[in-house]
Amino acid sequence: MKQILVVGSLNMDTVIETPHMPKCGETITGKSVEQIPGGKGANQAYAVGKLGGKVVMLGAVGDDTKGQQLLDNLNAVNVDVSHVEKLKAVPTGQAYITVDSNGDNAIIIIAGANGKVTKKLIRENRELICGSDIIVMQLEIPLEVVQYVKELAVEEGKTIILDPAPARSDIPESLWNGIDFIKPNETEIGILTGTGMGDRKERICAARELIRKGVKNVIVTLGGEGCIHVTADSEEYFPAHKVKAVDTTAAGDCFTAAFALALSQGKNCREAISFGQKASAIAVTRKGAQTSIPTLEEIREYGG
Ligand code: ADP
């Protein structure tokens, strides 16, 4: 099995349930509070680990209790966290998520250590890039670091998967060249390319714009509708599995991780998409981010 390296964020999420959102200046009593491991990088590494893949995480946490909890949590599903940097005087990345009784949320993210991942850390761990086959990234660490990892990975001939979230409109064109797979959802493809979110045709046109800039494969995920795989000369629609969705948090993270895992096992792109769709269909029938990730056995039993 090939090795997957995830370079990205680790967050401790604090989820507060409240009857309604507090207004400016208001103090209210919440219903519950829970701390849950998150961060797109950690979610994806966790999912690869839980699915039985060979995975290493590279990123940073603070030298604090939350950071240690995040590392222990990844370690429990066999993610190699020995290269995650523990930074002094910087808190572990955090997200404060308030959910009201309608299920609407308001989120504040403190980048903390995620914002302090540097090119130096990457340089010091260059052998990790050389020793891995598939490099998975997102956009929750500094863009210049993502760009640097991409350049090294291209130089070393590695397969690069970018989950471009949170999407931003200021990405330099040079980032796209050499990326093997990019997986925006329907909102993200609009932000990345500055095109409106219309019908499927428009999304394919937007995907082709990224391909003209050097991306080899664009997989636009469409939530409960599935995804479209676009290359320079082909496009294919994959309908989603019909399931009763309970919580779609981290559906995309589960898809990206399962897709990467399947590639690491020698599957082709179509097979990997199909595997990603199965894993994420199961994930949306359960609550939570990392807690919703299925095991390989559960995916096998699901069949589909
Ligand atoms: P993101 O979480 O990045 O916004 P999406 O919501 O587009 O990603 O979902 C990623 C994938 O998860 C989809 O392509 C699909 O395979 C699966 N998925 C998401 N929502 C559902 C759903 N309601 N039913 C079945 N599969 C789903």
Side-chain angles (χ1 to χ4, degrees):
M1 194 190 315
K2 294 177 174 174
Q3 176 164 290
I4 297 171
L5 171 65
V6 179
V7 186
S9 59
L10 303 96
N11 279 337
M12 184 59 90
D13 296 347
T14 300
V15 182
I16 300 165
E17 280 190 314
T18 172
H20 67 268
M21 289 292 168
K23 293 182 195 65
C24 189
E26 187 185 10
T27 301
I28 60 169
T29 302
K31 282 202 289 195
S32 67
V33 61
E34 211 181 344
Q35 290 210 319
I36 307 171
K40 292 191 72 66
N43 286 348
Q44 293 177 15
Y46 183 94
V48 174
K50 191 164 175 193
L51 289 167
K54 187 164 185 247
V55 54
V56 185
M57 174 93 213
L58 185 55
V61 293
D63 190 9
D64 51 29
T65 314
K66 287 188 176 71
Q68 192 54 50
Q69 286 167 339
L70 294 181
L71 299 183
D72 291 347
N73 180 62
L74 288 174
N75 207 16
V77 289
N78 298 317
V79 178
D80 177 351
V81 290
S82 58
H83 300 269
V84 175
E85 194 172 27
K86 278 189 182 175
L87 297 172
K88 303 244 182 274
V90 184
T92 290
Q94 289 164 61
Y96 287 84
I97 304 165
T98 307
V99 186
D100 70 13
S101 55
N102 297 322
D104 291 325
N105 62 32
I107 303 177
I108 299 174
I109 290 186
I110 307 291
N114 297 315
K116 303 285 178 198
V117 176
T118 56
K119 288 190 195 174
K120 181 169 167 279
L121 175 70
I122 305 300
R123 256 195 306 276
E124 286 165 1
N125 287 283
R126 190 177 172 144
E127 87 283 0
L128 263 187
I129 296 176
C130 300
S132 302
D133 304 281
I134 298 174
I135 316 294
V136 179
M137 290 188 285
Q138 316 76 27
L139 297 177
E140 286 186 338
I141 57 170
L143 196 55
E144 57 165 31
V145 177
V146 173
Q147 171 96 5
Y148 185 56
V149 173
K150 190 224 67 173
E151 280 159 16
L152 295 180
V154 168
E155 239 175 83
E156 300 292 339
K158 306 301 177 184
T159 299
I160 305 165
I161 302 174
L162 177 66
D163 187 335
R168 41 200 285 178
S169 54
D170 62 344
I171 293 182
E173 282 214 23
S174 54
L175 180 70
W176 304 123
N177 195 31
I179 290 183
D180 296 280
F181 300 96
I182 182 171
K183 182 228 101 34
N185 67 16
E186 43 197 335
T187 312
E188 288 153 4
I189 184 90
I191 297 171
L192 293 176
T193 59
T195 42
M197 287 179 294
D199 55 8
R200 198 172 294 165
K201 251 189 176 164
E202 265 182 47
R203 294 194 184 103
I204 293 171
C205 283
R208 287 257 153 72
E209 205 177 310
L210 294 178
I211 285 168
R212 271 194 297 278
K213 291 176 180 167
V215 177
K216 293 174 197 150
N217 296 265
V218 180
I219 300 166
V220 185
T221 58
L222 310 167
E225 287 190 24
C227 65
I228 329 169
H229 173 218
V230 184
T231 68
D233 51 14
S234 72
E235 64 225 24
E236 185 173 7
Y237 170 61
F238 294 74
H241 292 267
K242 293 271 168 279
V243 293
K244 192 170 181 316
V246 176
D247 178 2
T248 60
T249 309
D253 289 339
C254 180
F255 178 93
T256 300
F259 176 80
L261 175 88
L263 289 185
S264 80
Q265 293 173 329
K267 304 273 195 302
N268 65 31
C269 180
R270 292 191 83 235
E271 293 166 327
I273 289 176
S274 199
F275 187 72
Q277 302 248 73
K278 267 187 218 170
S280 49
I282 299 173
V284 300
T285 64
R286 302 167 177 180
K287 281 198 125 187
Q290 295 181 9
T291 46
S292 70
I293 309 292
T295 60
L296 208 50
E297 285 67 40
E298 286 170 327
I299 298 177
R300 283 201 190 112
E301 278 165 24
Y302 177 79

